[in-house]
Amino acid sequence: MKRIFVLLGLLLILLPGGAAQADNNTFGIAWGISVPFADTKDYTSKVSFRGLSAEWRNFYTRDMAYGINVGWNVFNEEDDSTVYVDNAAFTGKRWNYINAVPIYASWFKYFSHDKRSKRVFAGLNAGTLYMERRTEVGFIGIDEDTWHFALVPEVGFQLPWDAFLGYISARYHYAFKAGDVEAQQYLEFKIGFGLD
């Protein structure tokens, strides 16, 4: 997990520097609210308000951009139940945690040519989603770390003002099955700002 945070830190340092060098780049930071679905919801069913992402986009035409984005989404839930591990059963207060770290390349289509106007956009993110799932019952902790290939469609709305951009978007994370861990899914609503 420490290597993930080092990689995220390096990307956050390098991306703004690249964005400052060219007129057709944007850099943004967003807060994420996530709703779990399918197997992710079975593990932690509550809506998460703990999400953060950073992204860089390069406009290679007036209405199309490619980029990179990284993030961190945290889910947690408390429950009273029994956990079965091998031939043992543990009953008591249980906490389930998920740390999801998406690292995606992206492509976006904007439905207006004017970067200074309100613009609707749609795109696709693809890459890897690191998923750390942890269950704790008393002093017992069970960890499960997996890397998933993910495809993530995204739609959003950009509100420019002077050198800043405000934006909202929704993206559906679909991380394919990895090993014994089923496909992970959650819908993330992002509220962010950026520099143009």
Side-chain angles (χ1 to χ4, degrees):
M1 189 73 172
K2 290 178 186 176
R3 284 182 270 169
I4 296 297
F5 292 117
V6 169
L7 176 64
L8 290 175
L10 287 173
L11 285 172
L12 289 176
I13 290 167
L14 295 175
L15 290 181
Q21 294 172 6
D23 192 30
N24 57 348
N25 289 308
T26 60
F27 174 75
I29 296 176
W31 169 49
I33 302 166
S34 301
V35 181
F37 287 96
D39 192 61
T40 308
K41 185 175 182 176
D42 291 343
Y43 195 76
T44 56
S45 62
K46 293 183 179 178
V47 173
S48 169
F49 292 91
R50 301 185 328 180
L52 181 67
S53 63
E55 58 189 295
W56 165 81
R57 293 182 190 174
N58 176 272
F59 286 86
Y60 63 95
T61 69
R62 286 180 164 271
D63 59 351
M64 288 191 228
Y66 63 85
I68 299 170
N69 63 78
V70 295
W72 186 19
N73 303 94
V74 180
F75 299 87
N76 67 315
E77 185 171 57
E78 181 181 319
D79 192 6
D80 289 314
S81 61
T82 301
V83 175
Y84 299 94
V85 180
D86 295 327
N87 294 326
F90 304 96
T91 302
K93 188 70 77 178
R94 182 183 77 187
W95 290 269
N96 287 344
Y97 301 97
I98 292 178
N99 282 294
V101 180
I103 304 170
Y104 301 142
S106 56
W107 177 86
F108 291 97
K109 164 75 173 157
Y110 286 76
F111 297 96
S112 168
H113 293 299
D114 185 4
K115 287 178 74 174
R116 297 293 178 191
S117 70
K118 299 173 186 173
R119 304 207 294 173
V120 173
F121 62 87
L124 182 65
N125 301 279
T128 186
L129 179 71
Y130 170 76
M131 179 86 55
E132 176 191 54
R133 300 196 322 175
R134 180 170 177 81
T135 301
E136 294 180 359
V137 180
F139 295 109
I140 306 297
I142 303 163
D143 289 315
E144 191 172 40
D145 300 342
T146 51
W147 287 90
H148 300 258
F149 172 72
L151 289 175
V152 183
E154 182 173 352
V155 294
F157 187 69
Q158 177 180 298
L159 294 165
W161 64 89
D162 292 332
F164 290 94
L165 303 169
Y167 63 96
I168 56 172
S169 71
R171 61 183 183 175
Y172 193 83
H173 297 260
Y174 187 91
F176 292 87
K177 181 176 178 179
D180 294 334
V181 179
E182 294 298 321
Q184 300 297 304
Q185 302 173 55
Y186 61 96
L187 177 63
E188 180 182 15
F189 298 98
K190 296 188 335 181
I191 303 166
F193 70 93
L195 296 172
D196 184 20

